[in-house]
Amino acid sequence: MASPLEQFEIHPIVPLRLGEIDISFTNSSLYMVLTVVLTAGFVLLGMRQRAIVPGRFQAAVELSYEFVANLLRDTVGNEGRKYFPFVFTIFMFVLFGNLLGMTPYSFTFTSHIVVTFALALVVFIGVTILGFAKHGFHFFSFFVPPGTPLPMWPLLIPIEVISYLSRPISLSVRLFANMLAGHTLLKVIAGFIGVLGVAGVLPFAFVVVLTGLEILIAGLQAYVFTILTCLYINDALHLH
Amino acid sequence: MAEGRKPASLEDLDKRLRAARSHQGGNAKGELGEGDQGSTQSGLGAALRIGVDLVAAIIVGVGIGFLLDLWLDTKPWFLILFFLLGAAAGMLNVFRVASGYGLAAGYKKPEDGAQKDGVKDKS
């Protein structure tokens, strides 16, 4: 029986080398490219007709578009409009990556901390730069909760800085852990089906239910990633 | 004839769309408010979320302490200090998530939270 962790292995498809660094085109890269192509295809093909009364395909595209737009407006307000392309890209990339991982025999690149941490780091660094650009050095008041007495500053500032620095980690670990745990669990339970013989119907039913749950989690985690990005943008735009 | 009728039906559609949208908007807002308090997700999801927030801050604290020790050759004092600070930051994260400052560890005092709601209502 195959190991439940085998699905997370990365194999180079086109081995490439840049000096000392291994930049092979792997199955992970392949699925990322596939995600980008599918996302772009989904939006571009869906909007090809530009009907006033949308058909099903166009309605699906508009639904995803308006979902993110509303999310951004509710959390950030109207100043957040500028950042819509970024937030929408993140949402679609994570959502399609998660859902693509749910197709059998495919690879889930969001189950790798490298990928999610890179995404979270882009959000984190972008939001920090945004805060600096918007508020200059006033940005550092971020680390002093309002109404803090002066003697408490040396203790509170490190705590707030650590809390701030922990954002990309909690953002990336949340997505990565959910995908990793879900797919491993699915594989482990599926492994029981063949072993148990007739009683294998039970784990089989369980796998069916779990697959539905995993699809829910795929959407939910994309949503959580997006809303956290929105909240961080909101924090950077409106300091206390 | 058809030209004359079409805008009317479109206007009607627009009106219905707007009504539906405002209705939906109200619903979405209510849902989001609940989401802020972390009750729309299952208890397991909330627990995992809070656990991740707690652990992430400790990881950062330990990482900073370890690197400072490596750099200044003061093993293990900075590690101990920053572990404690990291744990405190983790508690702070958990407190912020649990007390309804939203999904993120935010930096708002309660009045600002009310203000944020105001912004939400305005939009």
Side-chain angles (χ1 to χ4, degrees), chain A residues 20-220:
Chain A
E20 292 289 288
I21 313 159
D22 187 3
I23 53 159
S24 306
F25 189 83
T26 60
N27 52 350
S28 181
S29 336
L30 175 70
Y31 275 94
M32 280 187 236
V33 170
L34 209 61
T35 303
V36 171
V37 169
L38 273 178
T39 316
F42 173 67
V43 176
L44 290 177
L45 288 181
M47 293 313 287
R48 206 179 35 179
Q49 299 216 317
R50 296 201 178 88
I52 296 179
V53 181
R56 279 182 201 166
F57 198 8
Q58 195 186 335
V61 178
E62 285 182 2
L63 206 66
S64 57
Y65 175 94
E66 284 192 355
F67 174 69
V68 178
N70 281 336
L71 200 66
L72 196 61
R73 208 179 42 226
D74 286 344
T75 41
V76 187
N78 277 333
E79 305 96 310
R81 260 184 210 176
K82 269 186 274 182
Y83 311 104
F84 174 77
F86 176 66
V87 176
F88 187 61
T89 310
I90 288 235
F91 176 72
M92 292 306 267
F93 186 69
V94 175
L95 180 70
F96 271 62
N98 287 350
L99 289 177
L100 210 61
M102 285 310 296
T103 41
Y105 296 103
S106 70
F107 178 86
T108 325
F109 62 80
T110 40
S111 66
H112 281 256
I113 186 103
V114 199
V115 178
T116 57
F117 192 68
L119 274 177
L121 218 55
V122 168
V123 171
F124 177 74
I125 292 173
V127 163
T128 309
I129 290 173
L130 179 68
F132 266 113
K134 199 94 179 167
H135 303 279
F137 283 98
H138 186 64
F139 179 72
F140 287 112
S141 74
F142 211 36
F143 300 125
V144 186
T148 314
L150 198 64
M152 290 297 284
W153 282 27
L155 184 62
L156 267 171
I157 290 174
I159 291 178
E160 290 284 351
V161 170
I162 290 173
S163 170
Y164 185 68
L165 290 178
S166 77
R167 280 172 165 198
I169 293 184
S170 69
L171 190 60
S172 58
V173 166
R174 192 173 292 128
L175 176 60
F176 140 81
N178 269 292
M179 298 324 284
L180 183 80
H183 283 261
T184 311
L185 186 68
L186 220 55
K187 254 303 180 29
V188 168
I189 308 267
F192 286 126
I193 298 176
V195 180
L196 288 182
V198 185
V201 177
L202 249 128
F204 182 71
F206 202 58
V207 165
V208 172
V209 174
L210 267 183
T211 306
L213 184 74
E214 271 311 301
I215 290 173
L216 172 79
I217 286 180
L220 199 67

Side-chain angles (χ1 to χ4, degrees), chain B residues 2 5 7 12-13 25 27 29 31 42 45 54 63 68 70 75 77 80 95-96 98-99 122:
Chain B
R5 210 166 25 169
D12 181 45
L13 182 75
N27 267 357
K29 217 168 276 170
E31 238 170 71
S42 62
L54 177 65
L68 275 179
L70 222 59
K75 245 178 219 169
W77 299 110
I80 294 172
F95 171 73
R96 277 175 176 151
S99 59
K122 225 183 347 182

